[in-house]
Each structure stands twice: as C-alpha cells, then as structure tokens.
C-alpha cells in the first residue's frame, strides 16, 4: 500500500466514524432567577469518547493526515491532561497507530484508565509546565508525531461549517424562543473552541458574543487583559497546573486567539466546583469541573443581561461527565486536602441561580454593552 493510499484510507475511516455518530444534545436548563433569559447546555459528554475533545481530536487527525504528517509507522504523541488524550487514543486505535499521552502525574486515575482502555500509553510528568517539552522530546527520540493540540487546535477545526460545534448549536436553536444566542460561554483549554465560536458567529453575521471563563490557575485571562489593553504579552506564565482539569494553562498557547473572544472572567476554583455540583443536581448526573466554570460564566452573562433589561438566550458547554473525577471533585477528602470551601461556595451559587449577586470577579471585555 502506498503512503498516499494509506492516508486516503485513514481519512475515509475517520469520516465513516463521523457518519456513525449522532449529534450531541442541547439541554435547556431551568433558570428561575432570570425571567426572559433561556439557558442551554450543549452536552458534549455524549461523544464516543465522552467529551468535547472528541471533536478536536478528529479535526487534529484529519489535519495531520491531510498535511502528510502521519504514516503507517507513526507513533502519535500528545501533551494532554486527559480528555484530548482519551479521544486521540480512540482515533489512533481506529487507524492502527500506537499512542502515547504525556500528561501531569496529577491527572485523575479515571482518565488514565480511559486512555489505556483505548489502547494508549501514559507518560506521566511531575511538573505540568514540562509536558509540552517532554512530548517534543518523546517525538524526537521515538520518531513519532507530536500532534500539539495547543498549537493547531484553532487552525485544524473547520470553523466555517462541517458540523463544527458552532454550526451545530445554531441549527439546534432554530425553533427556540431566542434562536440567536446573546452569549455563548466556553472555557479555554487550547483556545480552539472559543476561536471556532467567535469566528463562526462573525462569519454568519450573528449578534452573538463569546464569553470565556478561565479557571483560577491559568494565564489566559491575564493574556487577554494585556491584549485588550493593546500590549499582548505572550510570555506570561503561572506556577502549577489548573485544578480544573482540561482547561486553563500555565503559559499562553498559540491556539488561543484573544480577538475571537468578546469578554473573559476569572473564576475561583471553589465557585467552579460549586457550580459543577449545582448542574449535576439539576441534571441528575455528574458533570466535570469545567462545566462548572462555564456555568459561573453563564450566571455572569445572565446578570449583565438582566441588569440591562435584556431578554434572550445563553448557550454553554457541558464538557464531560463527572465519572472521570470520582477521586477528586466527588471526593470530600480531596476538598479538605486542597483547602477548598464547599458549603460557602455552594451557598453563593444557589443564591446567584435565584437572582442574587455573585461575589466580585475579575472581568475584562465587553460584558456590559
């Protein structure tokens, strides 16, 4: 088999997998404290690999194949805190390629098990800031291909169409009372989702703004603030990794396009996880921490709309299931070890859902206009 024939066969396998997969659900949430404002969650946990990253992994593989970066002898390598690695392991197995995930040693055991279930191997790194360099080194020493989600996420995704997450949201909203969302709220991991949402909304001339909710330990918010001030500082770094797995980064990533985002908020981890518990109780099933970070962004957007006397809709993303976090977010001992207040944060979220104020949060951008 020639390399060209192998590549076209691999692309057909991925496209066939797409045809076998249904779209993800758009779930309305009851939001009694904000009459006239409808809230929806795009449930990305229903993908075959259980998270929003399934879309990204598929796009990254198609991008790498079209560029000729993969061949029958390739080992696929990725720097990932878990969900992207799970999805890339799935597509690697589909194509018969070995896969290695370079990830923080603190990654949940459930995610490690999910990667191994898909046939991947895990290379654990003590310092989360080292995973990118370790992935590059591993690619060089093994002759493998480093997928590098943080560099290629925004360009690998076809943001104009091809059933990307933005196109899917707008199609599913067509029969709702407010079919064009006033806000779409997401959280930055690579930055690929916020770039896709922002570009698509502008390309289709929709009056929708994108709000990014950044977790407590991450540099994206600070970078965004510097960019809005006209002095973008891509050299910003932070110490340690985000406690909200899958989002937040200790360095500015190439796929985060600040100009595609209309506003940002910095969300304390305690509030993210309280919001996660609230959404879980409303849905009757566990969701992950990044969904909670998004939900705090939803509350902020709803409060801004309510204060301005506006009605409309807000769409956010249910990124993954809480099943992968039994040893952390759903373990009371983990909160004690991390020193995170549970009861106080739960009360804040409960009051905010009923229309009460959120505590002062760091924000930047066009939130109030």
């Amino acid at each position: 088999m020639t390399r060209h024939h192998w590549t076209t066969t691999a692309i057909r396998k991925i496209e066939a997998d797409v045809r076998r997969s249904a779209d993800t659900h758009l779930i309305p949430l009851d939001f009694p404290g904000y009459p006239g404002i409808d809230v929806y969650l795009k449930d990305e946990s229903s993908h075959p690999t259980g998270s929003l990253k399934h879309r990204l992994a598929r796009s990254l593989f198609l991008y790498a194949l079209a560029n000729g970066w993969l061949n029958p002898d390739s080992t696929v390598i990725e720097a990932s805190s878990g969900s992207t690695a799970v999805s890339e392991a799935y597509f690697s197995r589909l194509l018969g390629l070995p896969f290695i995930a370079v990830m923080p040693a603190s990654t949940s055991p459930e995610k490690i098990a999910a990667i191994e279930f898909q046939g991947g191997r895990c290379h654990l790194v003590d310092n989360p800031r080292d995973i990118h360099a370790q992935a590059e080194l591993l690619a060089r020493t093994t002759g493998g291909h480093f997928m590098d989600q943080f560099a290629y996420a925004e360009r690998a995704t076809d943001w104009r169409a091809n059933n990307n997450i933005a196109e899917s949201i707008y199609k599913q909203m067509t029969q709702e009372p407010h079919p064009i969302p006033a806000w779409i709220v997401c959280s930055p991991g690579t930055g690929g989702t916020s770039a896709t949402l922002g570009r698509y909304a502008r390309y289709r001339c929709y009056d929708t703004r994108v709000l990014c909710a950044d977790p407590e330990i991450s540099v994206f918010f600070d970078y965004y603030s510097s960019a809005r001030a006209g002095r973008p500082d891509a050299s910003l770094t932070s110490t340690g990794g985000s406690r909200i797995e899958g989002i937040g980064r200790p360095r500015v990533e190439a796929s985060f396009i600040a100009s595609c985002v209309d506003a940002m908020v910095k969300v304390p981890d305690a509030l993210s996880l309280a919001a996660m518990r609230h959404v879980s109780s409303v849905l009757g099933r566990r969701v992950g921490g990044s969904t909670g970070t998004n939900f705090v962004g939803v509350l902020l957007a709803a409060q801004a709309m309510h204060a301005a006397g506006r009605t409309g809709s807000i769409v956010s993303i249910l990124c993954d299931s809480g099943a992968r976090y039994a040893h952390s977010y759903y373990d009371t001992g983990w909160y004690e070890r991390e020193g995170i207040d549970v009861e106080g944060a739960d009360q804040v979220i409960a009051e905010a859902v009923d229309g009460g104020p959120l505590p002062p949060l760091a924000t930047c951008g066009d939130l109030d206009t």
Side-chain angles (χ1 to χ4, degrees):
M1 181 186 296
T2 66
R3 181 172 293 190
H4 180 83
H5 185 218
W6 181 87
T7 298
T8 56
T9 300
I11 291 173
R12 288 193 183 101
K13 286 181 179 179
I14 293 175
E15 293 295 345
D17 184 77
V18 175
R19 300 296 186 275
R20 294 192 295 269
S21 301
D23 201 357
T24 59
H25 299 292
L26 191 67
I27 304 172
L29 286 185
D30 187 26
F31 226 51
Y34 303 89
I37 298 175
D38 302 324
V39 173
Y40 305 82
L41 288 179
K42 179 71 165 161
D43 184 7
E44 295 293 285
S45 71
S46 58
H47 282 295
T49 54
S51 81
L52 168 66
K53 300 299 186 179
H54 192 85
R55 295 181 189 268
L56 171 59
R58 183 172 62 213
S59 294
L60 287 168
F61 268 83
L62 291 173
Y63 189 68
L65 287 164
N67 283 330
W69 295 344
L70 293 176
N71 62 67
D73 300 317
S74 295
T75 295
V76 180
I77 296 166
E78 184 59 280
S80 169
S81 64
S83 289
T84 301
V86 175
S87 299
E88 288 190 17
Y90 170 92
F91 285 106
S92 293
R93 186 171 70 169
L94 183 68
L95 303 186
L97 301 177
F99 175 77
I100 303 174
V102 182
M103 56 204 307
S106 59
T107 302
S108 68
E110 292 85 0
K111 283 188 177 179
I112 292 172
I115 293 165
E116 293 174 344
F117 174 80
Q118 297 294 347
R121 292 196 292 118
C122 299
H123 180 84
L124 302 180
V125 177
D126 290 330
N127 188 340
R129 295 177 64 179
D130 293 338
I131 65 170
H132 189 275
Q134 286 291 314
E136 288 182 322
L137 177 62
L138 197 58
R140 287 197 301 270
T141 55
T142 64
H145 174 66
F146 178 26
M147 293 292 271
D148 201 354
Q149 59 170 323
F150 299 107
Y152 297 113
E154 57 88 11
R155 68 193 74 175
T157 302
D158 182 358
W159 53 268
R160 293 178 183 85
N162 197 27
N163 195 35
N164 64 47
I165 191 168
E167 182 184 39
S168 176
I169 287 170
Y170 284 101
K171 282 184 176 180
Q172 291 177 315
M173 286 290 292
T174 54
Q175 299 302 314
E176 301 302 318
H178 304 285
I180 305 300
W183 287 98
I184 299 180
V185 180
C186 64
S187 45
T190 61
T193 299
S194 58
T196 297
L197 294 169
R199 287 167 171 166
Y200 187 87
R202 292 169 188 171
Y203 180 65
R204 295 297 182 185
C205 302
Y206 293 137
D207 188 21
T208 300
R209 286 179 288 169
V210 175
L211 170 63
C212 260
D214 202 29
E216 183 176 318
I217 307 172
S218 176
V219 300
F220 284 131
F221 177 85
D222 297 318
Y223 171 69
Y224 180 78
S225 299
S226 73
R228 293 283 299 198
R231 299 182 298 275
D233 185 0
S235 68
L236 290 167
T237 60
S238 67
T239 302
S242 174
R243 286 184 292 198
I244 309 302
E245 285 191 29
I247 60 173
R249 293 291 294 156
R251 69 176 201 173
V252 180
E253 302 295 351
S255 280
F256 180 72
I257 311 299
S259 56
C260 289
V261 175
D262 297 285
M264 284 197 74
V265 57
K266 189 82 160 178
V267 181
D269 291 347
L271 287 188
S272 289
L273 297 170
M276 173 200 75
R277 292 189 292 274
H278 170 80
V279 174
S280 296
S281 67
V282 169
L283 297 181
R285 57 187 173 93
R286 290 177 172 180
V287 302
S290 54
T291 300
T293 307
N294 289 343
F295 190 75
V296 176
V298 169
L299 286 169
L300 189 69
Q303 290 186 353
M305 290 175 65
H306 184 68
R310 296 180 59 197
T311 59
S313 59
I314 302 171
V315 176
S316 189
I317 301 171
L318 194 167
C319 304
D320 63 358
S321 164
R324 293 175 175 172
Y325 308 102
H327 288 78
S328 54
Y329 308 147
Y330 293 96
D331 174 15
T332 55
W334 182 85
Y335 289 93
E336 294 174 0
R337 292 190 296 273
E338 294 291 328
I340 295 176
D341 173 31
V342 173
E343 292 185 5
D346 283 345
Q347 183 176 352
V348 167
I349 294 299
E351 292 175 355
V353 168
D354 286 336
L358 284 166
L361 301 173
T363 61
C364 183
D366 303 323
L367 188 63
D368 299 323
T369 58

